[in-house]
Amino acid sequence: MPEGDTVWLAAKRMDTALHGATLRRGELRVPQLAAVDLAGAVVAEVVPRGKHMLIRLADGRTLRTHYRMDGSWHIYRPGSRWRGGPGHSIRAVLATEEWECVGYRLHDMAMVPTAQEDQLVGHLGPDVLGPGWDLDEALRRLRARPDEQIGVAILDQRNLAGPGNLYKVESLFLCGVNPWARVADVPDLPALVERARTLMLANRERPEQSTTGDTRRGQDHWVAGRKGRPCRRCRTPIQLGDQGPDLQERVTWWCPSCQATPVPVDPHARTGLPGTPARRARY
């Protein structure tokens, strides 16, 4: 799933292309919005909210899109070949005289009055990359469920909006926290949250996502994608497991040595694993 920094960068580029421009073509190719024609509308701004993109129009409407696992926006000059996928995967076309913004495999598309955006994103926690970032509020939301697995809690966008699986596993490793530890057992929760934010801030201006400071392929992450390979710190083989609510499990990498915990954890008896109660994460 694209992380919040990916959406942040895409929104910045979309805003550069569309800000203040009049749409000569505005197609929304999803059943609930198929009758909406945005041609003639003026784009006021494009802003990110966690993993959501909000395209605000000057007439007081907002179009929300979400990437989920495979969505993307592509920007082309008029006359260029569109290369984001087959034509049937296009969900939106927003074109001006200078740019053509094409949305592939977009999800959760909705249109609401801008004044009612909270209907779409009001459930989200503080935006890690937003101007109104509020660490105290994010910590309050995380601590409200002290028995939640920290690896699940970090991904729950109701706690803090933006982090995805990459920044979850990388920040947990860098802070020496076991993914299956309870929120209440994390020794320095503020440091963990701020670590995830620091990593996202470092990557938001570029498409490459590096948490090591090295953007070379195979050198860019500490644990993500490195199952069985030696830990960069202690040489212990990196482990891989599934974590999260049923049918929403996310692969989780960790070092059993660097992320050992003094508090016993039992992945098979905690929230989000088969046979146990689980809250449905909202994205």
Side-chain angles (χ1 to χ4, degrees):
M1 179 180 291
E3 313 265 336
D5 58 333
T6 300
V7 178
W8 188 94
L9 181 58
K12 179 181 179 180
R13 292 175 171 175
M14 289 274 287
D15 188 65
T16 299
L18 299 177
H19 191 116
T22 299
L23 298 177
R24 62 176 178 79
R25 183 178 177 186
E27 303 172 8
L28 305 177
R29 302 179 184 180
V30 293
Q32 67 271 25
L33 297 174
V36 176
D37 183 1
L38 297 181
V42 176
V43 178
E45 61 180 346
V46 182
V47 298
R49 179 69 172 91
K51 297 181 181 181
H52 302 251
M53 186 182 295
L54 303 176
I55 302 170
R56 294 170 177 158
L57 305 177
D59 61 13
R61 291 179 294 171
T62 293
L63 172 66
R64 185 276 304 275
T65 66
H66 194 294
Y67 284 172
R68 287 199 184 177
M69 294 297 293
D70 57 349
S72 60
W73 277 100
H74 294 246
I75 304 176
Y76 305 96
R77 287 292 188 181
S80 300
R81 182 181 177 185
W82 297 352
R83 300 177 180 274
H88 64 76
S89 68
I90 296 174
R91 298 292 178 265
V93 179
L94 304 177
T96 69
E97 293 299 327
E98 296 186 57
W99 298 101
E100 294 175 339
C101 301
V102 187
Y104 289 86
R105 299 169 297 278
L106 299 175
H107 301 271
D108 297 336
M109 291 178 61
M111 180 84 73
V112 299
T114 300
Q116 298 176 21
E117 285 179 0
D118 275 358
Q119 294 180 6
L120 304 177
V121 295
H123 67 284
L124 297 174
D127 190 341
V128 171
L129 296 179
W133 166 243
D134 187 338
L135 174 61
D136 290 337
E137 175 60 16
L139 294 173
R140 184 193 69 79
R141 292 180 180 225
L142 286 165
R143 288 167 174 158
R145 298 178 177 84
D147 293 329
E148 182 75 278
Q149 295 171 3
I150 187 60
V152 173
I154 288 292
L155 289 185
D156 191 331
Q157 302 295 290
R158 294 171 294 183
N159 293 328
L160 57 161
N165 208 43
L166 171 64
Y167 293 113
K168 176 197 81 172
V169 298
E170 296 291 284
S171 59
L172 287 171
F173 171 79
L174 289 169
C175 291
V177 176
N178 188 284
W180 281 270
R182 299 188 314 150
V183 170
D185 295 329
V186 176
D188 192 343
L189 191 59
L192 172 61
V193 174
E194 282 296 294
R195 176 68 70 174
R197 181 169 183 262
T198 297
L199 293 175
M200 293 180 67
L201 285 170
N203 286 292
R204 66 177 181 174
E205 296 281 359
R206 62 190 182 197
E208 303 85 8
Q209 294 170 310
S210 171
T211 55
T212 62
D214 189 335
T215 58
R216 291 178 298 170
R217 185 177 180 86
Q219 302 298 320
D220 46 356
H221 301 142
W222 293 95
V223 292
R226 303 191 68 245
K227 176 188 176 183
R229 299 178 65 184
C231 173
R232 298 188 189 280
R233 285 179 171 170
C234 71
R235 313 307 292 174
T236 301
I238 298 300
Q239 301 296 302
L240 174 66
D242 291 330
Q243 182 181 31
D246 289 340
L247 305 181
Q248 294 185 4
E249 296 91 343
R250 304 299 302 278
V251 293
T252 297
W253 296 269
W254 80 101
C255 172
S257 178
C258 293
Q259 294 171 263
T261 172
V263 180
V265 295
D266 180 1
H268 299 289
R270 291 290 175 89
T271 303
L273 289 159
T276 64
R279 290 190 302 125
R280 184 178 181 84
R282 295 180 65 182
Y283 299 98

